[in-house]
Amino acid sequence: MRILITGGAGFIGSNLAIRLAQLGHAVTTADTFLSGHWHTLCHFEGDVLTLHDRTDLAPIYESVKRYGPFEVIFHQAAITGVIASDGTARAGEDVHGFLRNNVEQFRSILDLAVETSARVVWASSCSVYGRNPPPMREDQPYDPLNIYAFSKVQKERLSRLYATRLKHPIVGLRYSNVYGPGEAHKGKLASMIHQLARQMLVGKRPRIFRAGEQRRDFVYIDDVVELNLRAMQATKSGIYNGGAGASWSFNEVVAELNRVLGTHLEPDYFENPYGFTQDWTECDMSRARADLGFVPAFDLRRGIEAYQASGKLGV
Ligand SMILES: NC(=O)c1ccc[n+]([C@@H]2O[C@H](COP(=O)([O-])OP(=O)(O)OC[C@H]3O[C@@H](n4cnc5c(N)ncnc54)[C@H](O)[C@@H]3O)[C@@H](O)[C@H]2O)c1
């Protein structure tokens, strides 16, 4: 199939692009390189479109004109967090930038999908749950705690709105905390697993929020790619959790990293400087299992082992 991946130079987009190309699809990535990096595409056999900014969809339309419509669009593009890559919370103040980039561009991509009869699978986020109690289920009310989460809520509303106009089902995936090879370019926005491993590899004590008992649903990148492949075959539109279906504390992450890296470093606890972080995220994965036949294959132990085997853990 001819497939478009927006945000294809990013962590998740590039892993998906490489896998789909390996499966024999004709894959095109489109990215503004706002946060993505060309490094992620070194092993990608496909076409790379460079967008000037979020409004620049001309290269995509040009590709459609020259080579024909895309049968599937994976929309991964987004400003991906409220913490700027320099570690400050500055990005969270840019409401205008967030909504224009994340929501308005999605609307344009959906218009393209309507015009060209493309199927759409896109990236939402568990941040839409905010303070809802775990395990997080898709029917819980929205509780966005920051502009990033709100942009995902608005995208979900758009996704429902367009479901009736699109020729094929549209599927949104609420990823939890994704980790794995290909995330290094994200800096402070990379997973805690990557950031802690990076500290530990140079002999530093891993710095985590006091007292290390915040829990996260950490999902390995290979599971996220698999979930996207399943979503591509969905028979009805929907929004699905995309997690491991379990949670682990930061203390458990440090213990697992010590085991895999062969280190014995005690956590260095510090106060959480951000008022908006979730204490406990854990996805209920029953809807994805029932409708998409998706069962996560990686728990924290297997995921960190696979990450280490890739040679990219903390590198
Ligand atoms: N990694 C996670 O843990 C996680 C969790 C929940 C949701 N998500 C979502 O998954 C998607 C991919 O995230 P990621 O972790 O790969 O981050 P990433 O920053 O590596 O990738 C995002 C990519 O989108 C590109 N981009 C941004 N705005 C664009 C635009 N308007 N047009 C084209 N390209 C644009 C960036 O340059 C980057 O390459 C995002 O939508 C993100 O919100 C990720």
Side-chain angles (χ1 to χ4, degrees), residues 50-51 73 79 103 109 112 117 165 225 238 249 264 286 303 305:
T50 309
L51 311 183
I73 300 174
I79 301 176
V103 182
I109 292 288
L112 167 74
S117 300
R165 300 177 53 199
V225 168
S249 70
H264 303 279
S286 42
E305 283 173 358

Side-chain angles (χ1 to χ4, degrees), residues 5 27 37 47 85 114 117 125 130 168 174 236 285 305:
I5 305 181
V27 185
H37 200 289
D47 201 5
S85 52
V114 170
S117 300
S125 161
H168 301 284
R174 289 179 181 169
K236 63 175 183 182
M285 291 303 295
E305 283 173 358

Side-chain angles (χ1 to χ4, degrees), residues 11-12 31 34-36 76 101 105 148 152 178 185-186:
F11 167 38
I12 297 168
D31 205 297
L34 185 72
S35 64
Q76 303 293 318
N101 192 80
Q105 189 198 38
Y148 169 72
K152 294 295 186 184
V178 192
H185 65 275
K186 294 183 67 177

Side-chain angles (χ1 to χ4, degrees), residues 89-165:
R90 208 163 28 87
E93 292 155 20
D94 184 14
V95 173
H96 195 262
F98 253 96
L99 297 182
R100 302 286 286 183
N101 192 80
N102 288 9
V103 182
E104 292 313 320
Q105 189 198 38
F106 188 40
R107 196 189 308 271
S108 307
I109 292 288
L110 291 173
D111 286 337
L112 167 74
V114 170
E115 279 169 43
T116 57
S117 300
R119 178 183 275 270
V120 181
V121 178
W122 67 278
S124 185
S125 161
C126 281
S127 61
V128 300
Y129 289 115
R131 297 187 194 89
N132 275 290
M136 300 164 319
R137 292 162 40 105
E138 290 89 341
D139 55 9
Q140 285 176 329
Y142 287 132
D143 183 27
L145 300 180
N146 55 50
I147 185 61
Y148 169 72
F150 179 70
S151 76
K152 294 295 186 184
V153 168
Q154 282 311 113
K155 285 168 94 158
E156 293 200 358
R157 290 180 173 137
L158 268 187
S159 181
R160 288 195 197 92
L161 195 69
Y162 273 76
T164 53
R165 300 177 53 199

